[in-house]
Amino acid sequence: MFNNYCVSCGKQPLSKDELGICKKLLGEDIISFYCLDCLADFLEVSLEDIIAKIEEFKEDGCVLFK
């Protein structure tokens, strides 16, 4: 079971894209997730970088984003 809220700011529920990008970048076995803003802060990248990665993974057919 996993938590469907951001461990940093408490936003809930998280979207499929937020869950998917956390699994893709932090590992599929994680149980704690971040919203897009907090994930960008955690990884020290821009929100636009995270969104671009989500689109890239979708275009590649990644099953985490279907």
Side-chain angles (χ1 to χ4, degrees):
M1 189 68 182
F2 66 91
N3 297 321
N4 191 10
Y5 61 87
C6 177
V7 296
S8 184
C9 73
K11 175 190 171 194
Q12 63 179 338
L14 297 175
S15 70
K16 286 183 179 182
D17 285 350
E18 288 170 319
L19 297 173
I21 197 66
C22 285
K23 286 183 177 187
K24 188 72 173 176
L25 298 179
L26 304 177
E28 289 191 31
D29 295 331
I30 63 170
I31 59 171
S32 296
F33 297 86
Y34 294 95
C35 68
L36 295 183
D37 289 322
C38 292
L39 180 63
D41 287 343
F42 177 75
L43 296 175
E44 298 180 346
V45 299
S46 71
L47 177 59
E48 291 78 19
D49 290 337
I50 298 290
I51 293 169
K53 276 307 210 187
I54 290 170
E55 292 307 314
E56 181 182 321
F57 292 136
K58 284 181 178 181
E59 289 172 9
D60 290 344
C62 179
V63 297
L64 293 173
F65 298 95
K66 291 190 176 212

PDB file of all heavy atoms in Angstrom, residues 16-17 19-25 27-28 52-66:
ATOM      1  N   LYS A  16      -2.235  10.680 -11.533  1.00  0.00           N
ATOM      2  CA  LYS A  16      -1.517   9.531 -12.088  1.00  0.00           C
ATOM      3  C   LYS A  16      -0.134   9.947 -12.576  1.00  0.00           C
ATOM      4  O   LYS A  16       0.825   9.199 -12.419  1.00  0.00           O
ATOM      5  CB  LYS A  16      -2.300   8.912 -13.249  1.00  0.00           C
ATOM      6  CG  LYS A  16      -3.511   8.133 -12.826  1.00  0.00           C
ATOM      7  CD  LYS A  16      -4.183   7.488 -14.030  1.00  0.00           C
ATOM      8  CE  LYS A  16      -5.382   6.678 -13.602  1.00  0.00           C
ATOM      9  NZ  LYS A  16      -6.025   6.008 -14.745  1.00  0.00           N
ATOM     10  N   ASP A  17      -0.043  11.139 -13.168  1.00  0.00           N
ATOM     11  CA  ASP A  17       1.255  11.621 -13.630  1.00  0.00           C
ATOM     12  C   ASP A  17       2.214  11.847 -12.465  1.00  0.00           C
ATOM     13  O   ASP A  17       3.405  11.539 -12.559  1.00  0.00           O
ATOM     14  CB  ASP A  17       1.111  12.913 -14.436  1.00  0.00           C
ATOM     15  CG  ASP A  17       0.565  12.685 -15.834  1.00  0.00           C
ATOM     16  OD1 ASP A  17       0.470  11.517 -16.274  1.00  0.00           O
ATOM     17  OD2 ASP A  17       0.234  13.685 -16.495  1.00  0.00           O
ATOM     18  N   LEU A  19       2.158  10.314  -9.519  1.00  0.00           N
ATOM     19  CA  LEU A  19       2.550   8.999  -9.016  1.00  0.00           C
ATOM     20  C   LEU A  19       3.545   8.343  -9.969  1.00  0.00           C
ATOM     21  O   LEU A  19       4.555   7.780  -9.543  1.00  0.00           O
ATOM     22  CB  LEU A  19       1.318   8.108  -8.836  1.00  0.00           C
ATOM     23  CG  LEU A  19       0.295   8.577  -7.800  1.00  0.00           C
ATOM     24  CD1 LEU A  19      -0.944   7.694  -7.849  1.00  0.00           C
ATOM     25  CD2 LEU A  19       0.879   8.608  -6.408  1.00  0.00           C
ATOM     26  N   GLY A  20       3.254   8.444 -11.271  1.00  0.00           N
ATOM     27  CA  GLY A  20       4.116   7.811 -12.268  1.00  0.00           C
ATOM     28  C   GLY A  20       5.516   8.391 -12.305  1.00  0.00           C
ATOM     29  O   GLY A  20       6.502   7.647 -12.357  1.00  0.00           O
ATOM     30  N   ILE A  21       5.635   9.717 -12.274  1.00  0.00           N
ATOM     31  CA  ILE A  21       6.960  10.327 -12.358  1.00  0.00           C
ATOM     32  C   ILE A  21       7.772  10.054 -11.093  1.00  0.00           C
ATOM     33  O   ILE A  21       8.991   9.852 -11.163  1.00  0.00           O
ATOM     34  CB  ILE A  21       6.894  11.843 -12.683  1.00  0.00           C
ATOM     35  CG1 ILE A  21       8.249  12.362 -13.162  1.00  0.00           C
ATOM     36  CG2 ILE A  21       6.388  12.655 -11.520  1.00  0.00           C
ATOM     37  CD1 ILE A  21       8.726  11.802 -14.475  1.00  0.00           C
ATOM     38  N   CYS A  22       7.117   9.982  -9.959  1.00  0.00           N
ATOM     39  CA  CYS A  22       7.842   9.621  -8.727  1.00  0.00           C
ATOM     40  C   CYS A  22       8.388   8.203  -8.840  1.00  0.00           C
ATOM     41  O   CYS A  22       9.549   7.945  -8.502  1.00  0.00           O
ATOM     42  CB  CYS A  22       6.938   9.751  -7.506  1.00  0.00           C
ATOM     43  SG  CYS A  22       6.644  11.455  -6.992  1.00  0.00           S
ATOM     44  N   LYS A  23       7.555   7.281  -9.310  1.00  0.00           N
ATOM     45  CA  LYS A  23       8.017   5.894  -9.469  1.00  0.00           C
ATOM     46  C   LYS A  23       9.147   5.810 -10.484  1.00  0.00           C
ATOM     47  O   LYS A  23      10.123   5.080 -10.281  1.00  0.00           O
ATOM     48  CB  LYS A  23       6.863   4.995  -9.899  1.00  0.00           C
ATOM     49  CG  LYS A  23       5.891   4.695  -8.793  1.00  0.00           C
ATOM     50  CD  LYS A  23       4.811   3.736  -9.262  1.00  0.00           C
ATOM     51  CE  LYS A  23       3.879   3.376  -8.131  1.00  0.00           C
ATOM     52  NZ  LYS A  23       2.935   2.324  -8.531  1.00  0.00           N
ATOM     53  N   LYS A  24       9.019   6.540 -11.575  1.00  0.00           N
ATOM     54  CA  LYS A  24      10.027   6.490 -12.633  1.00  0.00           C
ATOM     55  C   LYS A  24      11.360   7.061 -12.161  1.00  0.00           C
ATOM     56  O   LYS A  24      12.413   6.491 -12.438  1.00  0.00           O
ATOM     57  CB  LYS A  24       9.516   7.257 -13.857  1.00  0.00           C
ATOM     58  CG  LYS A  24      10.376   7.114 -15.072  1.00  0.00           C
ATOM     59  CD  LYS A  24      10.256   5.738 -15.679  1.00  0.00           C
ATOM     60  CE  LYS A  24      11.013   5.676 -17.003  1.00  0.00           C
ATOM     61  NZ  LYS A  24      10.992   4.348 -17.576  1.00  0.00           N
ATOM     62  N   LEU A  25      11.332   8.168 -11.450  1.00  0.00           N
ATOM     63  CA  LEU A  25      12.574   8.838 -11.054  1.00  0.00           C
ATOM     64  C   LEU A  25      13.130   8.377  -9.714  1.00  0.00           C
ATOM     65  O   LEU A  25      14.338   8.465  -9.481  1.00  0.00           O
ATOM     66  CB  LEU A  25      12.363  10.355 -11.024  1.00  0.00           C
ATOM     67  CG  LEU A  25      11.988  11.012 -12.354  1.00  0.00           C
ATOM     68  CD1 LEU A  25      11.792  12.511 -12.163  1.00  0.00           C
ATOM     69  CD2 LEU A  25      13.030  10.729 -13.419  1.00  0.00           C
ATOM     70  N   GLY A  27      12.129   5.256  -8.122  1.00  0.00           N
ATOM     71  CA  GLY A  27      12.103   3.799  -7.979  1.00  0.00           C
ATOM     72  C   GLY A  27      10.688   3.278  -7.849  1.00  0.00           C
ATOM     73  O   GLY A  27       9.866   3.877  -7.154  1.00  0.00           O
ATOM     74  N   GLU A  28      10.411   2.173  -8.529  1.00  0.00           N
ATOM     75  CA  GLU A  28       9.045   1.645  -8.572  1.00  0.00           C
ATOM     76  C   GLU A  28       8.547   1.119  -7.229  1.00  0.00           C
ATOM     77  O   GLU A  28       7.357   0.954  -7.044  1.00  0.00           O
ATOM     78  CB  GLU A  28       8.933   0.565  -9.641  1.00  0.00           C
ATOM     79  CG  GLU A  28       9.003   1.138 -11.040  1.00  0.00           C
ATOM     80  CD  GLU A  28       8.621   0.139 -12.116  1.00  0.00           C
ATOM     81  OE1 GLU A  28       7.784  -0.735 -11.848  1.00  0.00           O
ATOM     82  OE2 GLU A  28       9.160   0.257 -13.215  1.00  0.00           O
ATOM     83  N   ALA A  52       8.383  18.125 -18.759  1.00  0.00           N
ATOM     84  CA  ALA A  52       8.984  17.665 -20.012  1.00  0.00           C
ATOM     85  C   ALA A  52       9.318  16.180 -19.933  1.00  0.00           C
ATOM     86  O   ALA A  52       9.121  15.437 -20.910  1.00  0.00           O
ATOM     87  CB  ALA A  52      10.231  18.484 -20.331  1.00  0.00           C
ATOM     88  N   LYS A  53       9.819  15.726 -18.796  1.00  0.00           N
ATOM     89  CA  LYS A  53      10.141  14.309 -18.622  1.00  0.00           C
ATOM     90  C   LYS A  53       8.882  13.460 -18.685  1.00  0.00           C
ATOM     91  O   LYS A  53       8.882  12.379 -19.279  1.00  0.00           O
ATOM     92  CB  LYS A  53      10.875  14.064 -17.299  1.00  0.00           C
ATOM     93  CG  LYS A  53      12.334  14.290 -17.369  1.00  0.00           C
ATOM     94  CD  LYS A  53      12.906  13.485 -18.492  1.00  0.00           C
ATOM     95  CE  LYS A  53      14.302  13.040 -18.300  1.00  0.00           C
ATOM     96  NZ  LYS A  53      14.838  12.411 -19.523  1.00  0.00           N
ATOM     97  N   ILE A  54       7.801  13.924 -18.061  1.00  0.00           N
ATOM     98  CA  ILE A  54       6.538  13.188 -18.109  1.00  0.00           C
ATOM     99  C   ILE A  54       6.106  13.020 -19.563  1.00  0.00           C
ATOM    100  O   ILE A  54       5.745  11.906 -19.987  1.00  0.00           O
ATOM    101  CB  ILE A  54       5.449  13.897 -17.289  1.00  0.00           C
ATOM    102  CG1 ILE A  54       5.757  13.801 -15.792  1.00  0.00           C
ATOM    103  CG2 ILE A  54       4.066  13.316 -17.594  1.00  0.00           C
ATOM    104  CD1 ILE A  54       4.873  14.662 -14.906  1.00  0.00           C
ATOM    105  N   GLU A  55       6.154  14.087 -20.331  1.00  0.00           N
ATOM    106  CA  GLU A  55       5.751  14.023 -21.745  1.00  0.00           C
ATOM    107  C   GLU A  55       6.670  13.084 -22.526  1.00  0.00           C
ATOM    108  O   GLU A  55       6.208  12.319 -23.375  1.00  0.00           O
ATOM    109  CB  GLU A  55       5.733  15.419 -22.361  1.00  0.00           C
ATOM    110  CG  GLU A  55       4.639  16.301 -21.790  1.00  0.00           C
ATOM    111  CD  GLU A  55       3.254  15.675 -21.845  1.00  0.00           C
ATOM    112  OE1 GLU A  55       2.875  15.113 -22.899  1.00  0.00           O
ATOM    113  OE2 GLU A  55       2.539  15.726 -20.825  1.00  0.00           O
ATOM    114  N   GLU A  56       7.948  13.134 -22.236  1.00  0.00           N
ATOM    115  CA  GLU A  56       8.911  12.250 -22.902  1.00  0.00           C
ATOM    116  C   GLU A  56       8.594  10.781 -22.608  1.00  0.00           C
ATOM    117  O   GLU A  56       8.582   9.944 -23.521  1.00  0.00           O
ATOM    118  CB  GLU A  56      10.322  12.590 -22.429  1.00  0.00           C
ATOM    119  CG  GLU A  56      11.424  11.775 -23.050  1.00  0.00           C
ATOM    120  CD  GLU A  56      12.788  12.146 -22.493  1.00  0.00           C
ATOM    121  OE1 GLU A  56      13.046  13.355 -22.266  1.00  0.00           O
ATOM    122  OE2 GLU A  56      13.596  11.230 -22.265  1.00  0.00           O
ATOM    123  N   PHE A  57       8.335  10.478 -21.346  1.00  0.00           N
ATOM    124  CA  PHE A  57       8.021   9.094 -20.970  1.00  0.00           C
ATOM    125  C   PHE A  57       6.710   8.635 -21.600  1.00  0.00           C
ATOM    126  O   PHE A  57       6.580   7.485 -22.019  1.00  0.00           O
ATOM    127  CB  PHE A  57       7.978   8.935 -19.452  1.00  0.00           C
ATOM    128  CG  PHE A  57       9.322   9.082 -18.786  1.00  0.00           C
ATOM    129  CD1 PHE A  57       9.452   9.830 -17.619  1.00  0.00           C
ATOM    130  CD2 PHE A  57      10.463   8.486 -19.297  1.00  0.00           C
ATOM    131  CE1 PHE A  57      10.682   9.973 -16.987  1.00  0.00           C
ATOM    132  CE2 PHE A  57      11.703   8.621 -18.682  1.00  0.00           C
ATOM    133  CZ  PHE A  57      11.815   9.370 -17.526  1.00  0.00           C
ATOM    134  N   LYS A  58       5.733   9.530 -21.671  1.00  0.00           N
ATOM    135  CA  LYS A  58       4.456   9.200 -22.327  1.00  0.00           C
ATOM    136  C   LYS A  58       4.673   8.877 -23.794  1.00  0.00           C
ATOM    137  O   LYS A  58       4.141   7.902 -24.308  1.00  0.00           O
ATOM    138  CB  LYS A  58       3.454  10.356 -22.183  1.00  0.00           C
ATOM    139  CG  LYS A  58       2.831  10.464 -20.831  1.00  0.00           C
ATOM    140  CD  LYS A  58       1.842  11.630 -20.804  1.00  0.00           C
ATOM    141  CE  LYS A  58       1.148  11.737 -19.463  1.00  0.00           C
ATOM    142  NZ  LYS A  58       0.185  12.853 -19.449  1.00  0.00           N
ATOM    143  N   GLU A  59       5.465   9.713 -24.480  1.00  0.00           N
ATOM    144  CA  GLU A  59       5.754   9.508 -25.894  1.00  0.00           C
ATOM    145  C   GLU A  59       6.499   8.192 -26.126  1.00  0.00           C
ATOM    146  O   GLU A  59       6.328   7.551 -27.159  1.00  0.00           O
ATOM    147  CB  GLU A  59       6.541  10.678 -26.455  1.00  0.00           C
ATOM    148  CG  GLU A  59       5.742  11.939 -26.594  1.00  0.00           C
ATOM    149  CD  GLU A  59       6.573  13.152 -26.980  1.00  0.00           C
ATOM    150  OE1 GLU A  59       7.775  12.985 -27.307  1.00  0.00           O
ATOM    151  OE2 GLU A  59       6.021  14.275 -26.933  1.00  0.00           O
ATOM    152  N   ASP A  60       7.326   7.802 -25.164  1.00  0.00           N
ATOM    153  CA  ASP A  60       8.078   6.551 -25.262  1.00  0.00           C
ATOM    154  C   ASP A  60       7.212   5.339 -24.944  1.00  0.00           C
ATOM    155  O   ASP A  60       7.673   4.205 -25.059  1.00  0.00           O
ATOM    156  CB  ASP A  60       9.291   6.575 -24.338  1.00  0.00           C
ATOM    157  CG  ASP A  60      10.386   7.532 -24.806  1.00  0.00           C
ATOM    158  OD1 ASP A  60      10.338   7.949 -25.981  1.00  0.00           O
ATOM    159  OD2 ASP A  60      11.278   7.859 -23.995  1.00  0.00           O
ATOM    160  N   GLY A  61       5.978   5.572 -24.482  1.00  0.00           N
ATOM    161  CA  GLY A  61       5.069   4.466 -24.177  1.00  0.00           C
ATOM    162  C   GLY A  61       5.256   3.836 -22.804  1.00  0.00           C
ATOM    163  O   GLY A  61       4.833   2.713 -22.575  1.00  0.00           O
ATOM    164  N   CYS A  62       5.852   4.562 -21.883  1.00  0.00           N
ATOM    165  CA  CYS A  62       6.070   4.033 -20.526  1.00  0.00           C
ATOM    166  C   CYS A  62       4.733   3.642 -19.886  1.00  0.00           C
ATOM    167  O   CYS A  62       3.795   4.435 -19.858  1.00  0.00           O
ATOM    168  CB  CYS A  62       6.783   5.073 -19.672  1.00  0.00           C
ATOM    169  SG  CYS A  62       7.066   4.550 -17.975  1.00  0.00           S
ATOM    170  N   VAL A  63       4.669   2.442 -19.351  1.00  0.00           N
ATOM    171  CA  VAL A  63       3.425   1.927 -18.769  1.00  0.00           C
ATOM    172  C   VAL A  63       3.006   2.666 -17.500  1.00  0.00           C
ATOM    173  O   VAL A  63       1.846   2.597 -17.109  1.00  0.00           O
ATOM    174  CB  VAL A  63       3.515   0.414 -18.482  1.00  0.00           C
ATOM    175  CG1 VAL A  63       3.716  -0.367 -19.757  1.00  0.00           C
ATOM    176  CG2 VAL A  63       4.611   0.112 -17.482  1.00  0.00           C
ATOM    177  N   LEU A  64       3.904   3.400 -16.879  1.00  0.00           N
ATOM    178  CA  LEU A  64       3.564   4.148 -15.669  1.00  0.00           C
ATOM    179  C   LEU A  64       2.683   5.353 -15.971  1.00  0.00           C
ATOM    180  O   LEU A  64       2.103   5.945 -15.075  1.00  0.00           O
ATOM    181  CB  LEU A  64       4.830   4.622 -14.947  1.00  0.00           C
ATOM    182  CG  LEU A  64       5.697   3.521 -14.339  1.00  0.00           C
ATOM    183  CD1 LEU A  64       6.993   4.112 -13.800  1.00  0.00           C
ATOM    184  CD2 LEU A  64       4.958   2.787 -13.243  1.00  0.00           C
ATOM    185  N   PHE A  65       2.561   5.709 -17.256  1.00  0.00           N
ATOM    186  CA  PHE A  65       1.796   6.889 -17.639  1.00  0.00           C
ATOM    187  C   PHE A  65       0.614   6.560 -18.538  1.00  0.00           C
ATOM    188  O   PHE A  65       0.135   7.399 -19.275  1.00  0.00           O
ATOM    189  CB  PHE A  65       2.727   7.914 -18.324  1.00  0.00           C
ATOM    190  CG  PHE A  65       3.817   8.379 -17.405  1.00  0.00           C
ATOM    191  CD1 PHE A  65       5.058   7.775 -17.417  1.00  0.00           C
ATOM    192  CD2 PHE A  65       3.584   9.396 -16.499  1.00  0.00           C
ATOM    193  CE1 PHE A  65       6.052   8.179 -16.551  1.00  0.00           C
ATOM    194  CE2 PHE A  65       4.571   9.817 -15.628  1.00  0.00           C
ATOM    195  CZ  PHE A  65       5.811   9.204 -15.646  1.00  0.00           C
ATOM    196  N   LYS A  66       0.115   5.344 -18.483  1.00  0.00           N
ATOM    197  CA  LYS A  66      -1.038   4.947 -19.295  1.00  0.00           C
ATOM    198  C   LYS A  66      -2.274   4.873 -18.465  1.00  0.00           C
ATOM    199  O   LYS A  66      -2.270   4.740 -17.307  1.00  0.00           O
ATOM    200  CB  LYS A  66      -0.780   3.595 -19.955  1.00  0.00           C
ATOM    201  CG  LYS A  66       0.295   3.713 -21.007  1.00  0.00           C
ATOM    202  CD  LYS A  66       0.374   2.464 -21.791  1.00  0.00           C
ATOM    203  CE  LYS A  66       1.404   2.673 -22.881  1.00  0.00           C
ATOM    204  NZ  LYS A  66       1.191   2.013 -24.058  1.00  0.00           N
TER     205      LYS A  66
END
